Amino acid sequence: MRVPTWLLPHLIVIERYRGEGPVGSIYWPPGDPVRALVSEKVRTVRDRTGAEVTSTAQIIAPPDLDCPAQSLITLPSGRKTTALHIAPHTAPGLPLPQSSEVFCE
């Protein structure tokens, strides 16, 4: 069971992280807008390396979200941010909605 789309009122645009190049990070071109629930709230979280960092936005999106850490995300406010950590929320066998949670810089 997926998170219902009526719970995802915002649209975000993701430029997926591709890797490092000779002059810095490389990203794929922006994809189609993705429905999401965005909360621009300051929280302390752990990044992909386990270090404590400050997250200024949290995103709930469909479970099949393709957003590697370090991807650029354009929020509904127009602000661009970087994905710190992506947490899939699944509950196989239980009648709970599946989703992806993205913590942003």
Side-chain angles (χ1 to χ4, degrees), residues 2-23:
R2 296 167 57 93
V3 64
T5 56
W6 60 270
L7 288 174
L8 307 173
H10 304 117
L11 291 175
I12 60 171
V13 176
I14 301 170
E15 296 173 53
R16 293 182 3 253
Y17 177 72
R18 189 172 173 182
E20 291 297 318
V23 292

Side-chain angles (χ1 to χ4, degrees), residues 14-17 28 34 61-69 71 86 100:
I14 301 170
E15 296 173 53
R16 293 182 3 253
Y17 177 72
W28 290 101
V34 176
D64 55 355
L65 182 69
D66 186 10
C67 180
S71 294
I86 294 83
S100 296

Side-chain angles (χ1 to χ4, degrees), residues 34-87:
V34 176
R35 295 189 65 82
L37 174 64
V38 178
S39 172
E40 293 194 56
K41 180 178 175 182
V42 177
R43 301 169 80 181
T44 301
V45 298
R46 294 200 181 269
D47 68 7
R48 61 188 169 80
T49 65
E52 276 193 4
V53 294
T54 301
S55 170
T56 61
Q58 300 78 43
I59 299 169
I60 300 292
D64 55 355
L65 182 69
D66 186 10
C67 180
Q70 299 182 35
S71 294
L72 294 178
I73 301 173
T74 303
L75 301 175
S77 64
R79 181 171 71 95
K80 276 198 175 191
T81 186
T82 304
L84 295 169
H85 176 72
I86 294 83

